[in-house]
Amino acid sequence: YAYNFLDKSSPRAQTMFTEAKAFALRAKSIDDQLPSIYTALAFSARAIEKDRIEERRNYEISLKLAPKSPGSYNNLAIWYGYDGQPKLAIDLLNKALALYPKGSGVIFNGLGRAYLMLGDNTNAIEWGQRAIDTGTQLPIVFAQLARASANLGQTEKAALYVNEYNRQMAKLGRKSGIY
């Protein structure tokens, strides 16, 4: 909840991350083979320590423990996307799709983001639209679609996506503004 829906500077978010880390470390001392422990530790490394290397290491451990989990590939792909390595993100997301051909809004969003980073606006829009078709209401999908549409000179479409982004952010109680 804190990772997806709270402003990271919120004292409430930091408290939740600290608590999650304590629970994850406690669980790890009982059974260190549970992949979700390392996902929680990755979130904590990013949110508390601001340690991107430790974050990636924990995602890699989670993937090693759950090589058939599309979510494990997705989490590591997100890390590579934020690290400015969209081609690696695409490779990981394609592996997630191989395991879960139906896909999901999160996976499709990741592909859209990675293609947008590569300047491939057409594929960014295609994958973003597939994310929307799953029923996702992730605001970032609409922000990325707005950018890709604007890059292609489709200003009316971009404006519609900006409006939807703002609407989704308001539903979450967060201030809007394309980020």
Side-chain angles (χ1 to χ4, degrees), residues 68-88:
K68 294 184 180 182
S69 168
S72 294
Y73 288 95
N74 181 68
N75 287 336
L76 190 54
I78 291 170
W79 188 92
Y80 278 108
Y82 281 118
D83 196 51
Q85 299 183 58
K87 289 181 181 178
L88 287 173

Side-chain angles (χ1 to χ4, degrees), residues 145-168:
L145 283 165
R147 287 184 185 113
S149 296
N151 290 344
L152 291 174
Q154 301 169 349
T155 55
E156 287 180 22
K157 229 177 177 181
L160 291 173
Y161 288 129
V162 168
N163 288 338
E164 185 59 23
Y165 168 82
N166 288 331
R167 193 174 78 73
Q168 295 299 332

Side-chain angles (χ1 to χ4, degrees), residues 40-58:
L41 290 172
F43 288 170
S44 297
R46 181 178 190 167
I48 298 170
E49 291 92 17
K50 313 290 189 243
D51 186 341
R52 299 233 338 114
I53 301 305
E54 182 66 11
E55 177 189 13
R56 185 187 71 209
R57 188 181 76 74
N58 281 301

Side-chain angles (χ1 to χ4, degrees), residues 7 9 15 19 25-26 30 60-61 70 84 96 99 103 111 115 119 127 131-132 134 141 150 152 159 165 170:
D7 184 313
S9 63
T15 300
E19 185 176 270
L25 289 172
R26 187 168 164 212
I30 297 168
E60 289 169 343
I61 292 170
L99 292 168
L111 284 162
Y115 281 109
W127 287 108
I132 289 172
T134 69
V141 173
L152 291 174
Y165 168 82

Side-chain angles (χ1 to χ4, degrees), residues 124-143:
I125 289 171
E126 179 183 329
W127 287 108
Q129 188 56 56
R130 286 186 72 180
I132 289 172
D133 292 345
T134 69
T136 189
Q137 296 180 5
L138 291 170
I140 187 68
V141 173
F142 300 99

Side-chain angles (χ1 to χ4, degrees), residues 103-137:
S104 69
V106 173
I107 292 171
F108 297 149
N109 172 62
L111 284 162
R113 179 182 329 156
Y115 281 109
L116 182 63
M117 290 175 72
L118 291 171
D120 186 343
N121 296 299
T122 302
N123 268 324
I125 289 171
E126 179 183 329
W127 287 108
Q129 188 56 56
R130 286 186 72 180
I132 289 172
D133 292 345
T134 69
T136 189
Q137 296 180 5

